[in-house]
mmCIF file of all heavy atoms in Angstrom:
data_model
loop_
_atom_site.group_PDB
_atom_site.id
_atom_site.type_symbol
_atom_site.label_atom_id
_atom_site.label_comp_id
_atom_site.label_asym_id
_atom_site.label_seq_id
_atom_site.Cartn_x
_atom_site.Cartn_y
_atom_site.Cartn_z
ATOM 1 N N ASP A 42 32.906 45.508 -15.811
ATOM 2 C CA ASP A 42 33.294 44.094 -16.082
ATOM 3 C C ASP A 42 32.568 43.186 -15.069
ATOM 4 O O ASP A 42 32.317 42.086 -15.392
ATOM 5 C CB ASP A 42 34.808 43.965 -15.715
ATOM 6 C CG ASP A 42 35.747 44.592 -16.849
ATOM 7 O OD1 ASP A 42 35.228 44.734 -17.827
ATOM 8 O OD2 ASP A 42 36.937 44.740 -16.499
ATOM 9 N N ALA A 43 32.198 43.685 -13.953
ATOM 10 C CA ALA A 43 31.382 42.653 -12.926
ATOM 11 C C ALA A 43 29.920 42.672 -13.294
ATOM 12 O O ALA A 43 29.306 41.861 -12.818
ATOM 13 C CB ALA A 43 31.584 43.291 -11.549
ATOM 14 N N LEU A 44 29.437 43.582 -14.110
ATOM 15 C CA LEU A 44 27.972 43.511 -14.412
ATOM 16 C C LEU A 44 27.717 42.332 -15.467
ATOM 17 O O LEU A 44 28.441 42.088 -16.363
ATOM 18 C CB LEU A 44 27.538 44.884 -14.961
ATOM 19 C CG LEU A 44 27.590 45.947 -14.014
ATOM 20 C CD1 LEU A 44 27.115 47.258 -14.799
ATOM 21 C CD2 LEU A 44 26.630 45.800 -12.799
ATOM 22 N N ALA A 45 26.494 41.697 -15.261
ATOM 23 C CA ALA A 45 26.156 40.666 -16.270
ATOM 24 C C ALA A 45 25.388 41.291 -17.472
ATOM 25 O O ALA A 45 24.664 42.247 -17.278
ATOM 26 C CB ALA A 45 25.235 39.745 -15.668
ATOM 27 N N THR A 46 25.765 40.893 -18.584
ATOM 28 C CA THR A 46 25.155 41.437 -19.742
ATOM 29 C C THR A 46 23.878 40.551 -20.089
ATOM 30 O O THR A 46 23.613 39.530 -19.481
ATOM 31 C CB THR A 46 26.091 41.354 -21.061
ATOM 32 O OG1 THR A 46 26.378 39.935 -21.404
ATOM 33 C CG2 THR A 46 27.387 42.149 -20.726
ATOM 34 N N ARG A 47 23.098 41.044 -21.090
ATOM 35 C CA ARG A 47 21.958 40.268 -21.407
ATOM 36 C C ARG A 47 22.273 39.021 -22.031
ATOM 37 O O ARG A 47 21.607 37.880 -21.762
ATOM 38 C CB ARG A 47 21.128 41.121 -22.632
ATOM 39 C CG ARG A 47 19.986 40.363 -22.971
ATOM 40 C CD ARG A 47 19.034 41.320 -23.823
ATOM 41 N NE ARG A 47 18.559 42.255 -22.930
ATOM 42 C CZ ARG A 47 17.661 43.213 -23.092
ATOM 43 N NH1 ARG A 47 17.271 43.325 -24.372
ATOM 44 N NH2 ARG A 47 17.225 44.004 -22.348
ATOM 45 N N ALA A 48 23.450 38.797 -22.803
ATOM 46 C CA ALA A 48 23.909 37.687 -23.253
ATOM 47 C C ALA A 48 24.267 36.631 -22.174
ATOM 48 O O ALA A 48 24.056 35.393 -22.173
ATOM 49 C CB ALA A 48 25.024 37.898 -24.268
ATOM 50 N N ASP A 49 24.847 37.294 -21.091
ATOM 51 C CA ASP A 49 25.289 36.383 -19.956
ATOM 52 C C ASP A 49 24.089 35.825 -19.292
ATOM 53 O O ASP A 49 24.076 34.643 -18.927
ATOM 54 C CB ASP A 49 25.995 37.234 -18.895
ATOM 55 C CG ASP A 49 27.531 37.664 -19.381
ATOM 56 O OD1 ASP A 49 27.959 37.083 -20.267
ATOM 57 O OD2 ASP A 49 27.885 38.775 -18.930
ATOM 58 N N LEU A 50 23.027 36.672 -19.179
ATOM 59 C CA LEU A 50 21.717 36.191 -18.568
ATOM 60 C C LEU A 50 21.053 35.100 -19.395
ATOM 61 O O LEU A 50 20.522 34.145 -18.867
ATOM 62 C CB LEU A 50 20.860 37.407 -18.291
ATOM 63 C CG LEU A 50 21.262 38.347 -17.217
ATOM 64 C CD1 LEU A 50 20.344 39.544 -17.139
ATOM 65 C CD2 LEU A 50 21.439 37.724 -15.841
ATOM 66 N N GLU A 51 21.106 35.305 -20.777
ATOM 67 C CA GLU A 51 20.430 34.390 -21.656
ATOM 68 C C GLU A 51 21.341 32.980 -21.545
ATOM 69 O O GLU A 51 20.676 31.955 -21.530
ATOM 70 C CB GLU A 51 20.514 34.940 -23.047
ATOM 71 C CG GLU A 51 19.432 35.972 -23.176
ATOM 72 C CD GLU A 51 19.472 36.584 -24.648
ATOM 73 O OE1 GLU A 51 20.231 36.151 -25.447
ATOM 74 O OE2 GLU A 51 18.815 37.571 -24.856
ATOM 75 N N LYS A 52 22.513 33.132 -21.486
ATOM 76 C CA LYS A 52 23.375 32.043 -21.328
ATOM 77 C C LYS A 52 23.145 31.231 -20.148
ATOM 78 O O LYS A 52 22.894 29.950 -20.075
ATOM 79 C CB LYS A 52 24.840 32.253 -21.424
ATOM 80 C CG LYS A 52 25.740 31.134 -21.758
ATOM 81 C CD LYS A 52 27.213 31.582 -22.277
ATOM 82 C CE LYS A 52 28.009 32.252 -21.434
ATOM 83 N NZ LYS A 52 29.329 32.472 -21.836
ATOM 84 N N VAL A 53 22.953 31.904 -18.941
ATOM 85 C CA VAL A 53 22.648 31.299 -17.707
ATOM 86 C C VAL A 53 21.265 30.671 -17.675
ATOM 87 O O VAL A 53 21.004 29.564 -17.192
ATOM 88 C CB VAL A 53 22.834 32.256 -16.525
ATOM 89 C CG1 VAL A 53 22.297 31.727 -15.186
ATOM 90 C CG2 VAL A 53 24.244 32.508 -16.262
ATOM 91 N N THR A 54 20.286 31.440 -18.304
ATOM 92 C CA THR A 54 18.863 30.961 -18.332
ATOM 93 C C THR A 54 18.907 29.661 -19.144
ATOM 94 O O THR A 54 18.257 28.799 -18.910
ATOM 95 C CB THR A 54 18.063 32.073 -19.152
ATOM 96 O OG1 THR A 54 18.133 33.131 -18.191
ATOM 97 C CG2 THR A 54 16.628 31.520 -19.229
ATOM 98 N N LEU A 55 19.548 29.573 -20.272
ATOM 99 C CA LEU A 55 19.631 28.393 -21.119
ATOM 100 C C LEU A 55 20.202 27.157 -20.432
ATOM 101 O O LEU A 55 19.738 26.134 -20.405
ATOM 102 C CB LEU A 55 20.291 28.610 -22.400
ATOM 103 C CG LEU A 55 19.666 29.519 -23.409
ATOM 104 C CD1 LEU A 55 20.549 29.801 -24.608
ATOM 105 C CD2 LEU A 55 18.362 28.875 -23.929
ATOM 106 N N ALA A 56 21.323 27.498 -19.658
ATOM 107 C CA ALA A 56 21.944 26.366 -18.921
ATOM 108 C C ALA A 56 21.028 25.844 -17.792
ATOM 109 O O ALA A 56 20.918 24.775 -17.548
ATOM 110 C CB ALA A 56 23.285 26.890 -18.409
ATOM 111 N N THR A 57 20.289 26.877 -17.094
ATOM 112 C CA THR A 57 19.319 26.534 -15.991
ATOM 113 C C THR A 57 18.196 25.743 -16.609
ATOM 114 O O THR A 57 17.890 24.590 -16.123
ATOM 115 C CB THR A 57 18.781 27.808 -15.376
ATOM 116 O OG1 THR A 57 20.006 28.579 -14.786
ATOM 117 C CG2 THR A 57 17.904 27.345 -14.233
ATOM 118 N N ARG A 58 17.701 26.121 -17.765
ATOM 119 C CA ARG A 58 16.609 25.358 -18.349
ATOM 120 C C ARG A 58 17.121 23.898 -18.878
ATOM 121 O O ARG A 58 16.352 22.992 -18.600
ATOM 122 C CB ARG A 58 16.185 26.035 -19.697
ATOM 123 C CG ARG A 58 15.300 27.199 -19.222
ATOM 124 C CD ARG A 58 14.779 27.936 -20.479
ATOM 125 N NE ARG A 58 13.899 28.957 -20.176
ATOM 126 C CZ ARG A 58 13.670 30.120 -20.844
ATOM 127 N NH1 ARG A 58 14.172 30.142 -22.110
ATOM 128 N NH2 ARG A 58 12.931 31.057 -20.455
ATOM 129 N N ALA A 59 18.375 23.871 -19.395
ATOM 130 C CA ALA A 59 18.859 22.476 -19.778
ATOM 131 C C ALA A 59 18.951 21.635 -18.551
ATOM 132 O O ALA A 59 18.750 20.465 -18.502
ATOM 133 C CB ALA A 59 20.256 22.685 -20.463
ATOM 134 N N ASP A 60 19.531 22.220 -17.329
ATOM 135 C CA ASP A 60 19.780 21.438 -16.080
ATOM 136 C C ASP A 60 18.400 21.013 -15.576
ATOM 137 O O ASP A 60 18.199 19.883 -15.075
ATOM 138 C CB ASP A 60 20.450 22.310 -15.034
ATOM 139 C CG ASP A 60 21.864 22.558 -15.363
ATOM 140 O OD1 ASP A 60 22.475 21.840 -16.379
ATOM 141 O OD2 ASP A 60 22.490 23.447 -14.785
ATOM 142 N N LEU A 61 17.380 21.908 -15.607
ATOM 143 C CA LEU A 61 16.011 21.641 -15.075
ATOM 144 C C LEU A 61 15.364 20.603 -15.978
ATOM 145 O O LEU A 61 14.721 19.553 -15.470
ATOM 146 C CB LEU A 61 15.118 22.932 -15.145
ATOM 147 C CG LEU A 61 13.772 22.725 -14.696
ATOM 148 C CD1 LEU A 61 13.842 22.213 -13.233
ATOM 149 C CD2 LEU A 61 13.008 24.040 -14.764
ATOM 150 N N GLU A 62 15.574 20.559 -17.215
ATOM 151 C CA GLU A 62 15.119 19.533 -18.086
ATOM 152 C C GLU A 62 15.786 18.142 -17.886
ATOM 153 O O GLU A 62 15.088 17.157 -17.885
ATOM 154 C CB GLU A 62 15.352 19.885 -19.684
ATOM 155 C CG GLU A 62 14.686 18.891 -20.612
ATOM 156 C CD GLU A 62 13.225 18.783 -20.454
ATOM 157 O OE1 GLU A 62 12.570 19.780 -20.178
ATOM 158 O OE2 GLU A 62 12.676 17.781 -20.911
ATOM 159 N N LYS A 63 17.011 18.185 -17.588
ATOM 160 C CA LYS A 63 17.761 16.855 -17.203
ATOM 161 C C LYS A 63 17.152 16.252 -15.939
ATOM 162 O O LYS A 63 16.876 15.142 -15.650
ATOM 163 C CB LYS A 63 19.244 17.117 -17.038
ATOM 164 C CG LYS A 63 19.945 17.291 -18.252
ATOM 165 C CD LYS A 63 21.469 17.628 -17.963
ATOM 166 C CE LYS A 63 22.270 18.093 -19.315
ATOM 167 N NZ LYS A 63 23.617 18.473 -18.875
ATOM 168 N N VAL A 64 16.986 17.185 -14.808
ATOM 169 C CA VAL A 64 16.431 16.831 -13.592
ATOM 170 C C VAL A 64 14.954 16.355 -13.623
ATOM 171 O O VAL A 64 14.725 15.329 -13.185
ATOM 172 C CB VAL A 64 16.460 17.954 -12.587
ATOM 173 C CG1 VAL A 64 15.628 17.628 -11.389
ATOM 174 C CG2 VAL A 64 17.911 18.305 -12.173
ATOM 175 N N THR A 65 14.186 17.012 -14.594
ATOM 176 C CA THR A 65 12.820 16.547 -14.842
ATOM 177 C C THR A 65 12.820 15.236 -15.461
ATOM 178 O O THR A 65 12.110 14.383 -15.122
ATOM 179 C CB THR A 65 12.106 17.520 -15.696
ATOM 180 O OG1 THR A 65 12.132 18.807 -15.156
ATOM 181 C CG2 THR A 65 10.735 17.134 -16.047
ATOM 182 N N LEU A 66 13.639 15.016 -16.525
ATOM 183 C CA LEU A 66 13.671 13.692 -17.182
ATOM 184 C C LEU A 66 14.235 12.606 -16.326
ATOM 185 O O LEU A 66 13.616 11.453 -16.231
ATOM 186 C CB LEU A 66 14.637 13.701 -18.392
ATOM 187 C CG LEU A 66 14.154 14.544 -19.574
ATOM 188 C CD1 LEU A 66 15.105 14.641 -20.726
ATOM 189 C CD2 LEU A 66 12.838 13.959 -20.128
ATOM 190 N N ALA A 67 15.151 12.897 -15.518
ATOM 191 C CA ALA A 67 15.697 11.813 -14.485
ATOM 192 C C ALA A 67 14.546 11.610 -13.462
ATOM 193 O O ALA A 67 14.432 10.401 -13.193
ATOM 194 C CB ALA A 67 16.954 12.477 -13.760
ATOM 195 N N THR A 68 13.954 12.553 -12.949
ATOM 196 C CA THR A 68 12.817 12.353 -12.083
ATOM 197 C C THR A 68 11.721 11.485 -12.633
ATOM 198 O O THR A 68 11.137 10.652 -11.927
ATOM 199 C CB THR A 68 12.289 13.724 -11.515
ATOM 200 O OG1 THR A 68 13.371 14.449 -10.977
ATOM 201 C CG2 THR A 68 11.124 13.530 -10.525
ATOM 202 N N ARG A 69 11.338 11.810 -13.872
ATOM 203 C CA ARG A 69 10.314 11.055 -14.550
ATOM 204 C C ARG A 69 10.803 9.541 -14.759
ATOM 205 O O ARG A 69 10.021 8.742 -14.495
ATOM 206 C CB ARG A 69 9.951 11.636 -15.886
ATOM 207 C CG ARG A 69 9.071 12.901 -15.844
ATOM 208 C CD ARG A 69 8.755 13.436 -17.140
ATOM 209 N NE ARG A 69 7.946 14.624 -17.004
ATOM 210 C CZ ARG A 69 7.910 15.611 -17.889
ATOM 211 N NH1 ARG A 69 8.691 15.520 -19.120
ATOM 212 N NH2 ARG A 69 7.276 16.640 -17.688
ATOM 213 N N ALA A 70 12.048 9.324 -15.083
ATOM 214 C CA ALA A 70 12.560 8.035 -15.163
ATOM 215 C C ALA A 70 12.577 7.377 -13.929
ATOM 216 O O ALA A 70 12.151 6.189 -13.865
ATOM 217 C CB ALA A 70 13.891 8.063 -15.808
ATOM 218 N N ASP A 71 12.961 7.960 -12.893
ATOM 219 C CA ASP A 71 12.919 7.383 -11.546
ATOM 220 C C ASP A 71 11.511 7.028 -11.070
ATOM 221 O O ASP A 71 11.238 5.813 -10.472
ATOM 222 C CB ASP A 71 13.571 8.317 -10.439
ATOM 223 C CG ASP A 71 15.143 8.455 -10.573
ATOM 224 O OD1 ASP A 71 15.670 7.645 -11.322
ATOM 225 O OD2 ASP A 71 15.646 9.460 -10.021
ATOM 226 N N LEU A 72 10.602 7.932 -11.217
ATOM 227 C CA LEU A 72 9.186 7.642 -10.988
ATOM 228 C C LEU A 72 8.590 6.555 -11.740
ATOM 229 O O LEU A 72 7.938 5.688 -11.136
ATOM 230 C CB LEU A 72 8.407 8.931 -11.310
ATOM 231 C CG LEU A 72 6.864 8.880 -10.833
ATOM 232 C CD1 LEU A 72 6.705 8.614 -9.343
ATOM 233 C CD2 LEU A 72 6.346 10.182 -11.200
ATOM 234 N N GLU A 73 8.967 6.518 -12.966
ATOM 235 C CA GLU A 73 8.447 5.300 -13.851
ATOM 236 C C GLU A 73 8.996 4.009 -13.378
ATOM 237 O O GLU A 73 8.406 3.016 -13.167
ATOM 238 C CB GLU A 73 8.856 5.465 -15.287
ATOM 239 C CG GLU A 73 8.332 4.482 -16.208
ATOM 240 C CD GLU A 73 6.776 4.244 -16.231
ATOM 241 O OE1 GLU A 73 6.104 5.295 -16.043
ATOM 242 O OE2 GLU A 73 6.346 3.266 -16.479
ATOM 243 N N ARG A 74 10.272 4.013 -12.923
ATOM 244 C CA ARG A 74 11.013 2.713 -12.467
ATOM 245 C C ARG A 74 10.319 2.362 -11.189
ATOM 246 O O ARG A 74 10.129 1.181 -10.899
ATOM 247 C CB ARG A 74 12.433 3.099 -12.233
ATOM 248 C CG ARG A 74 13.398 1.774 -12.120
ATOM 249 C CD ARG A 74 14.977 2.187 -12.176
ATOM 250 N NE ARG A 74 15.371 3.400 -11.558
ATOM 251 C CZ ARG A 74 15.712 4.500 -12.231
ATOM 252 N NH1 ARG A 74 15.722 4.398 -13.597
ATOM 253 N NH2 ARG A 74 16.075 5.569 -11.647
ATOM 254 N N VAL A 75 10.149 3.297 -10.253
ATOM 255 C CA VAL A 75 9.560 3.094 -8.911
ATOM 256 C C VAL A 75 8.014 2.482 -9.145
ATOM 257 O O VAL A 75 7.521 1.615 -8.545
ATOM 258 C CB VAL A 75 9.473 4.286 -8.153
ATOM 259 C CG1 VAL A 75 8.623 4.080 -6.874
ATOM 260 C CG2 VAL A 75 10.904 4.672 -7.482
ATOM 261 N N THR A 76 7.368 3.106 -10.028
ATOM 262 C CA THR A 76 5.957 2.731 -10.444
ATOM 263 C C THR A 76 5.913 1.315 -11.005
ATOM 264 O O THR A 76 5.208 0.411 -10.550
ATOM 265 C CB THR A 76 5.357 3.687 -11.513
ATOM 266 O OG1 THR A 76 5.326 5.034 -10.894
ATOM 267 C CG2 THR A 76 3.973 3.264 -11.685
ATOM 268 N N GLN A 77 6.871 0.960 -11.810
ATOM 269 C CA GLN A 77 6.973 -0.414 -12.330
ATOM 270 C C GLN A 77 7.357 -1.495 -11.304
ATOM 271 O O GLN A 77 6.784 -2.493 -11.150
ATOM 272 C CB GLN A 77 7.990 -0.526 -13.489
ATOM 273 C CG GLN A 77 7.389 0.221 -14.819
ATOM 274 C CD GLN A 77 8.552 0.233 -15.837
ATOM 275 O OE1 GLN A 77 9.696 -0.139 -15.742
ATOM 276 N NE2 GLN A 77 8.179 0.681 -17.059
ATOM 277 N N THR A 78 8.377 -1.069 -10.461
ATOM 278 C CA THR A 78 8.748 -1.916 -9.357
ATOM 279 C C THR A 78 7.474 -2.173 -8.412
ATOM 280 O O THR A 78 7.333 -3.271 -7.962
ATOM 281 C CB THR A 78 9.852 -1.319 -8.553
ATOM 282 O OG1 THR A 78 10.920 -1.048 -9.517
ATOM 283 C CG2 THR A 78 10.366 -2.149 -7.468
ATOM 284 N N THR A 79 6.774 -1.081 -8.144
ATOM 285 C CA THR A 79 5.652 -1.205 -7.317
ATOM 286 C C THR A 79 4.539 -2.054 -7.888
ATOM 287 O O THR A 79 3.994 -2.893 -7.109
ATOM 288 C CB THR A 79 5.052 0.205 -6.875
ATOM 289 O OG1 THR A 79 6.154 0.993 -6.247
ATOM 290 C CG2 THR A 79 3.998 0.145 -5.892
ATOM 291 N N ARG A 80 4.323 -1.934 -9.091
ATOM 292 C CA ARG A 80 3.270 -2.723 -9.703
ATOM 293 C C ARG A 80 3.770 -4.190 -9.775
ATOM 294 O O ARG A 80 2.998 -5.101 -9.434
ATOM 295 C CB ARG A 80 3.164 -2.298 -11.143
ATOM 296 C CG ARG A 80 2.309 -1.073 -11.261
ATOM 297 C CD ARG A 80 1.982 -0.710 -12.834
ATOM 298 N NE ARG A 80 1.216 0.419 -12.859
ATOM 299 C CZ ARG A 80 1.292 1.414 -13.773
ATOM 300 N NH1 ARG A 80 2.228 1.279 -14.758
ATOM 301 N NH2 ARG A 80 0.635 2.516 -13.845
#
Side-chain angles (χ1 to χ4, degrees):
D42 285 344
L44 295 177
T46 64
R47 183 169 287 184
D49 292 336
L50 292 175
E51 286 175 3
K52 199 160 67 174
V53 168
T54 300
L55 289 174
T57 302
R58 283 186 182 150
D60 289 346
L61 184 59
E62 185 63 27
K63 286 178 189 174
V64 168
T65 300
L66 290 175
T68 301
R69 284 184 183 151
D71 290 345
L72 183 59
E73 183 60 30
R74 194 170 38 257
V75 166
T76 300
Q77 288 175 357
T78 302
T79 302
R80 282 186 182 144

